[in-house]
Amino acid sequence: MGNKFVQFILALLFPSFCVGCDTEGSVLCAACRNAIVVQRVPTRPAGRSSLSMLYAATEYREQKIASLLIGALKYHGVKRAADHCADILITHLCLAQFAPQKNYLVTAVPLHRKRLRERGFNQSELIAKHIAAQYALPYAPRILARTIHTTPQTEVRERAKRLENVKGAFVCYNAQTVRGKYIILIDDVTTTGATFEACAHALKSAGAKKIIACAVAK
Ligand SMILES: [Zn+2]
């Protein structure tokens, strides 16, 4: 039995409905996908940054359908939404003329093991795997760990407080993998970039050369 057949049966048993218009068939229909405005240029990392570049594909607040898509993945366990999130990010990376080289590798912002247990999966990891496959780059699972169970960043208002909230919250467990590498770091949503900065700091301390941060939305 082929994988396609299994997927066909699963789609029959558990049909998808579009997050934007509720049409049956897909988590995101073509019309709603086309309605999402994708940025054409990278975002400048704010202030003094450990990031070489920050790519954020779309606007979380303005792009209602994109936020519904991310919410479906993150809070309602709709794993199929990860393909669509990755597609939006890839569209942005193409428009922004991002061209990874051979010494690049892809990884995801980790969840604390407590949150991972609650959610059952790391949404950023699912997106990151698609990105790695798209660019035929190695995907490095779990080279970072979140050691402190922080307050969700969305609940912390100011940038200074957000930076403080995640500072030192990450460690790199695998210096051998990251040494001298360009790391494409994936997250679903970035607000102030504080989480990216904290991850980048840990990766750079472990010997990574450059960190390119990519989020589906900001
Ligand atoms: Zn739709």
Side-chain angles (χ1 to χ4, degrees):
M1 238 183 349
N3 194 31
K4 281 237 169 77
F5 180 72
V6 173
Q7 279 181 3
F8 172 74
I9 295 297
L10 282 174
L12 275 183
L13 291 173
F14 307 103
S16 295
F17 296 91
C18 176
V19 293
C21 66
D22 223 24
T23 300
E24 190 179 335
S26 168
V27 179
L28 185 67
C29 77
C32 288
R33 166 65 185 85
N34 290 332
I36 298 172
V37 178
V38 178
Q39 301 295 309
R40 310 189 71 88
V41 289
T43 309
R44 287 261 153 264
R48 240 182 64 213
S49 179
S50 302
L51 307 173
S52 303
M53 203 57 117
L54 174 59
Y55 292 94
T58 191
E59 303 270 349
Y60 192 76
R61 281 178 205 282
E62 283 78 20
Q63 300 299 316
K64 189 85 185 118
I65 296 167
S67 63
L68 287 169
L69 182 71
I70 294 166
L73 172 64
K74 211 168 163 173
Y75 305 115
H76 305 290
V78 183
K79 290 190 188 174
R80 289 176 216 180
D83 309 25
H84 298 279
C85 287
D87 167 61
I88 292 165
L89 184 49
I90 290 161
T91 302
H92 169 58
L93 291 171
C94 291
L95 288 170
Q97 295 179 329
F98 172 69
Q101 311 294 314
K102 277 209 171 96
N103 57 341
Y104 280 56
L105 63 84
V106 182
T107 197
V109 169
L111 293 178
H112 188 269
R113 59 189 154 73
K114 202 176 148 200
R115 181 145 304 133
L116 185 62
R117 212 166 38 232
E118 286 163 9
R119 194 168 289 162
F121 64 96
N122 176 353
Q123 72 282 353
S124 301
E125 210 165 68
L126 298 182
I127 299 166
K129 282 178 186 166
H130 282 286
I131 305 296
Q134 170 72 22
Y135 289 105
L137 291 170
Y139 172 71
R142 300 184 190 143
I143 50 176
L144 281 170
R146 194 188 282 251
T147 55
I148 305 168
H149 190 56
T150 51
T151 311
Q153 287 293 76
T154 44
E155 290 169 22
V156 186
R157 294 255 172 256
E158 300 140 48
R159 177 172 156 86
K161 281 203 187 132
R162 286 188 191 230
L163 283 168
E164 199 52 50
N165 185 36
V166 290
K167 206 173 159 192
F170 299 91
V171 286
C172 177
Y173 278 144
N174 199 336
Q176 215 172 337
T177 306
V178 304
R179 197 168 295 135
K181 286 290 193 328
Y182 288 67
I183 314 283
I184 301 174
L185 181 61
I186 309 289
D187 206 354
D188 53 342
V189 180
T190 182
T191 38
T192 58
T195 300
F196 273 145
E197 292 290 349
C199 288
H201 184 75
L203 288 166
K204 282 196 151 178
S205 302
K209 205 165 185 180
K210 282 187 176 173
I211 317 298
I212 300 106
C214 300
V216 179
K218 70 162 191 287

